[in-house]
Amino acid sequence: MLAKRKMQSKELAEKLGITPANLSILKTGKAKGIRFDTLEAICNILDCQPGDILEYREEV
């Protein structure tokens, strides 16, 4: 979605008010969870739905 919106991670992190390192954790799937208000802010900024940026993966 970042590429579609021609936005860099640094810009998104600034708009969200989080560090680029924390955004990187979210992007790589290493986060244990995400707050709904953070997810809502990401979707508002990127003009997308949660399903556009989230993917369910069953743990093995």
Side-chain angles (χ1 to χ4, degrees), residues 31-57:
K32 298 280 185 200
I34 183 170
R35 294 174 51 149
F36 285 119
D37 60 338
T38 302
L39 179 59
E40 180 180 18
I42 291 169
C43 289
N44 283 332
I45 292 166
L46 295 178
D47 189 28
C48 66
Q49 293 294 312
D52 296 331
I53 57 176
L54 294 176
E55 176 183 67
Y56 173 75
R57 292 185 194 167

Side-chain angles (χ1 to χ4, degrees), residues 3-60:
K4 283 185 177 181
R5 303 298 183 246
K6 297 181 181 176
M7 184 182 297
Q8 294 183 349
S9 294
K10 181 180 176 182
E11 182 182 352
L12 178 59
E14 287 173 3
K15 289 182 178 199
L16 289 171
I18 64 174
T19 65
N22 283 340
L23 180 58
S24 177
I25 290 169
L26 291 173
K27 285 176 53 181
T28 59
K30 294 181 181 178
K32 298 280 185 200
I34 183 170
R35 294 174 51 149
F36 285 119
D37 60 338
T38 302
L39 179 59
E40 180 180 18
I42 291 169
C43 289
N44 283 332
I45 292 166
L46 295 178
D47 189 28
C48 66
Q49 293 294 312
D52 296 331
I53 57 176
L54 294 176
E55 176 183 67
Y56 173 75
R57 292 185 194 167
E58 192 171 339
E59 290 189 35
V60 180

